[in-house]
Amino acid sequence: LGPRKKDWAEVFPWIIQAVETVVDVPLVIDTTNIDGMEAALKTIKKAQPILNSTSAEPERLEKVPLLAKKYGAKVIGLTMASEGIPVAGDDRVNIAVEKLIPRMMEIDFPMSDLIIDPLVLTCSGCQQYCPELIEAVRTLQYAWDPAPMISVGLSNVSNSVPNENRPLINRVYLAFLMGVGLQMMIANPLDEKQNDVIR
């Protein structure tokens, strides 16, 4: 639904009700519109939702975790600050350890409901980011006790790559990430070869 700045008060509840008529799974509310997030959260009746997302940017870090706590939602925390996404894996881990996790502790947010996303970027324009993300995933599992869940948007790695090459790049990167412990991702469930890699 993206930012949805004009009609969010009608559209967010409508889409939640429409989707919940056919599924019982947790819904991910993926928007930059914080008011839209709340409109969606007020409407959800079934499984525990997930908010996508907060970051270490002050306004989002102030508001989104409180919203997640109020409605019992999980929240995805992006390792991104006001300056943008750091290249180095250690710098991404530091954002999680120094900003995201302390904010959750400050508001007594359950660590089991925090999902850290160290942010996959495309190999077509940011090749140096790709191995750094792998190291961030490896390290984040040991950055806190109990460790937060870690998730990535897998297909970001192949954005701006010719369509015929995207599934192969996604699968190879997935194998690297699972090799360092990744257990959760946003991915195409209809890619059978990818599902074979997961199995």
Side-chain angles (χ1 to χ4, degrees), residues 1 9 17-19 34 46 53 65-67 74 81-82 89 91 93 117 134-135 147 153 160 171 189-190:
L1 293 170
Q17 289 167 351
V19 173
I34 294 174
K46 293 187 177 179
S53 56
L66 288 173
L67 200 57
K74 293 185 179 190
S82 302
D91 292 339
V93 172
D117 182 345
I134 294 169
E135 291 309 309
S160 302
R171 289 178 216 133
L190 302 179

Side-chain angles (χ1 to χ4, degrees), residues 6-7 10 25 27 43 50 71 89 97 101 109 136 160 176 185:
K6 292 184 179 176
D7 56 359
E10 297 81 35
V25 298
L27 303 183
T43 310
I50 302 170
Y71 291 95
V97 171
I101 292 172
F109 187 84
S160 302
F176 282 133
M185 73 213 73

Side-chain angles (χ1 to χ4, degrees), residues 12-14 16-17 20 38-46:
F12 277 81
W14 170 78
I16 294 297
Q17 289 167 351
E20 280 198 329
E38 184 159 23
L41 289 169
K42 286 179 179 176
T43 310
I44 289 175
K45 302 284 187 252
K46 293 187 177 179

Side-chain angles (χ1 to χ4, degrees), residues 19-176:
V19 173
E20 280 198 329
T21 62
V22 293
V23 299
D24 296 322
V25 298
L27 303 183
V28 179
I29 312 306
D30 191 353
T31 181
T32 55
N33 182 331
I34 294 174
D35 293 326
M37 282 183 177
E38 184 159 23
L41 289 169
K42 286 179 179 176
T43 310
I44 289 175
K45 302 284 187 252
K46 293 187 177 179
Q48 182 185 26
I50 302 170
L51 289 184
N52 190 11
S53 56
T54 188
S55 65
E57 296 165 288
E59 182 182 1
R60 292 196 73 76
L61 194 55
E62 173 66 28
K63 294 180 179 179
V64 176
L66 288 173
L67 200 57
K69 183 177 179 185
K70 179 178 178 181
Y71 291 95
K74 293 185 179 190
V75 67
I76 295 173
L78 307 177
T79 58
M80 177 173 67
S82 302
E83 308 79 40
I85 303 166
V87 174
D90 285 347
D91 292 339
R92 298 189 213 186
V93 172
N94 287 343
I95 289 174
V97 171
E98 295 173 4
K99 296 186 178 181
L100 297 173
I101 292 172
R103 173 62 176 149
M104 301 306 166
M105 294 177 66
E106 177 187 340
I107 65 168
D108 198 27
F109 187 84
M111 200 57 62
S112 58
D113 287 344
L114 174 62
I115 303 165
I116 301 289
D117 182 345
L119 294 165
V120 172
L121 293 175
T122 178
C123 65
S124 70
C126 306
Q127 292 176 4
Q128 70 273 27
Y129 286 62
C130 295
E132 294 292 340
L133 181 278
I134 294 169
E135 291 309 309
V137 169
R138 183 194 317 269
T139 306
L140 278 167
Q141 297 165 83
Y142 307 101
W144 208 261
D145 187 20
M149 291 181 281
I150 305 163
S151 181
V152 299
L154 179 63
S155 67
N156 289 357
V157 75
S158 64
N159 278 343
S160 302
V161 168
N163 280 339
E164 64 272 17
N165 297 333
R166 291 195 68 185
L168 178 60
I169 291 170
N170 294 346
R171 289 178 216 133
V172 170
Y173 202 54
L174 169 62
F176 282 133

